[in-house]
Amino acid sequence: MALPVLELRGIGKAFDGVPALKGIDLSVHEGELVALIGPSGSGKSTLLRCCNRLTEPDGGAVRFGGRPAPSGGRALAEARRRMGMVFQAFNLYPHLTALENAALAPRRAAGLSRKAAEQAAREALSRVGLADRADARPDALSGGQQQRVAIARALALRPRILLLDEPTSALDPELVGSVLDVIGSLKADGVAMLIATHEIAFAREAADRIVFLAEGRILESGPPEEVLDRPRSARLRSFLRRL
Amino acid sequence: MGIFFDPEVWGIAWPPIRSGILITLALALASIAAGTAAGFALSLARTLPVRRLAAAIVVYSDAFRAFPPLVLLVVLYFAAPFAGIELSGFAASFLALALVLAASAEEIFWAGLTSVRRGQWEAALSTGMSRAATLRRVILPQAVRLTIPPLTNRAIATGKNTALASVVAVPEVLNQAASIQAQTASPAPLLLAAVVYVALFLPLVRLGRWLEDRFPSP
């Protein structure tokens, strides 16, 4: 049985008194790909951001690698480094090349030498199929390429899990496939992932488990065929019908 | 026309004006360097999550951008001694120009820092970089591009405002020219001073134009 990499217990969060998450329990095991689906505003992003505390949860506990995740300071920075995050809007550094984007944190957060950081960045760029665009600035890359560089930026730190926040939602339809292919290949390499997505076909094919989130609660969770083909709640049935 | 360009008077006026150039340049460089550095430090301090500090910086910045530099200068030079603070003309001028520039520079740097999207902070923090490293490696390089053109303009304005120091007897270019004008009863020294100012600041203005082309605002 694979060990849990990330465990959430009773995570709650409200924004200005409006609850966004109401007691989420969820774990992701080594090598596992868990897909979060649900309508916009259901709390998928907030849930991902509570994992690495870009959003501070109001309550509940996060465990990472079998231990309580640190809530501040250097220890939090170190935990964040091992939980790679990929954003819907890529958030690449526009003043740096693809290689520099991926080498920055290995150098400045992990403390590698310049050479070792570049080496890690190059390896990560080849994993996403962009070794030949290492010297390109983000504005010279397509959206799909930018998102793959963003994935490489996270991979260069050898994370224990990747948190992906709707990584293909900002892409033109013809570019979605290239990013999903990369995510699929990482899954094959055994990288644990928690991914918020609207790509139901991808989730069905690649996910080990699908978690359906609505109004800040997990309504259903299980293997793709169970959740997608035999939804138990009316909420999930209507969500799947409207896709 | 001849009276403005009287070669004899220009000859008399040149040596004192030449020594005034050094003082003008020293005053300009010192106040630009100190004012920019102080404004930068204030803008960084304003990013700290300390509300009162940020509020105090805003009050300072607004107040000193509202202050005419000449008024600040005469207060520092003529009024401060009554509070037991004696400043030389040069020191009072330096302080007045630097305080006013710091206020504008703070606003310019702040605008640059806040123009960088939150996602940049989040991306860097999510890779385990510290706030300081994020600021230095990710935020500032993007912010600085936006600040260079307006900052150059404020620096030029500060350089030109060194002429205000003539009212507190600092022997800079204008002050020297005015003395020679009084001695010789000729307007020629003032014309020479005007030429000197253009020669001093035209290169800076050209540099500002070049920087604006190089770092266009988006």
Side-chain angles (χ1 to χ4, degrees), chain A residues 49 77 80 91-95, chain B residues 119-120 122 124 126 128 137 142:
Chain A
R49 296 163 59 88
R80 282 175 168 165
N91 297 353
L92 289 181
Y93 312 132
H95 60 300
Chain B
Q120 295 286 306
E122 292 180 345
S126 81
R137 308 284 167 186
Q142 298 180 60

Side-chain angles (χ1 to χ4, degrees), chain A residues 13-204:
Chain A
K13 177 70 188 176
F15 293 104
D16 298 323
V18 181
L21 295 176
K22 304 169 188 163
I24 300 288
D25 294 317
L26 176 68
S27 35
V28 182
H29 295 74
E30 279 176 353
E32 195 180 26
L33 193 161
V34 175
L36 286 173
I37 63 169
S40 302
S42 58
K44 302 188 296 291
S45 285
T46 306
L47 181 57
L48 288 170
R49 296 163 59 88
C50 282
C51 296
N52 65 359
R53 284 191 146 82
L54 282 185
T55 296
E56 189 64 33
D58 296 335
V62 179
R63 290 175 69 83
F64 178 53
R67 268 180 282 177
S71 59
R74 260 165 205 265
L76 172 61
E78 195 158 319
R80 282 175 168 165
R81 175 150 66 77
R82 309 312 298 268
M83 291 187 226
M85 185 167 243
V86 174
F87 301 85
Q88 183 176 345
F90 327 140
N91 297 353
L92 289 181
Y93 312 132
H95 60 300
L96 300 179
T97 65
L99 184 73
E100 290 165 340
N101 263 276
L104 187 65
R107 178 104 174 88
R108 301 294 164 193
L112 298 187
S113 71
R114 172 193 286 266
K115 226 177 143 189
E118 275 191 12
Q119 180 64 25
R122 269 186 212 289
E123 279 167 21
L125 284 176
S126 356
R127 273 178 94 176
V128 301
L130 287 173
D132 56 332
R133 302 308 311 271
D135 297 322
R137 296 271 175 116
D139 61 7
L141 299 170
S142 73
Q145 290 173 326
Q146 289 187 49
Q147 190 59 297
R148 283 148 66 197
V149 172
I151 293 172
R153 173 172 66 186
L155 286 178
L157 292 158
R158 305 183 193 288
R160 302 193 57 179
I161 184 169
L162 280 185
L163 309 167
L164 302 107
D165 188 3
E166 298 194 26
T168 59
S169 295
L171 295 176
D172 293 336
E174 73 270 20
L175 301 174
V176 168
S178 67
V179 171
L180 293 180
D181 286 348
V182 165
I183 295 170
S185 79
L186 296 177
K187 155 77 177 148
D189 290 349
V191 178
M193 285 181 270
L194 179 58
I195 175 171
T197 186
H198 289 295
E199 299 289 333
I200 298 298
F202 168 78
R204 176 190 293 276

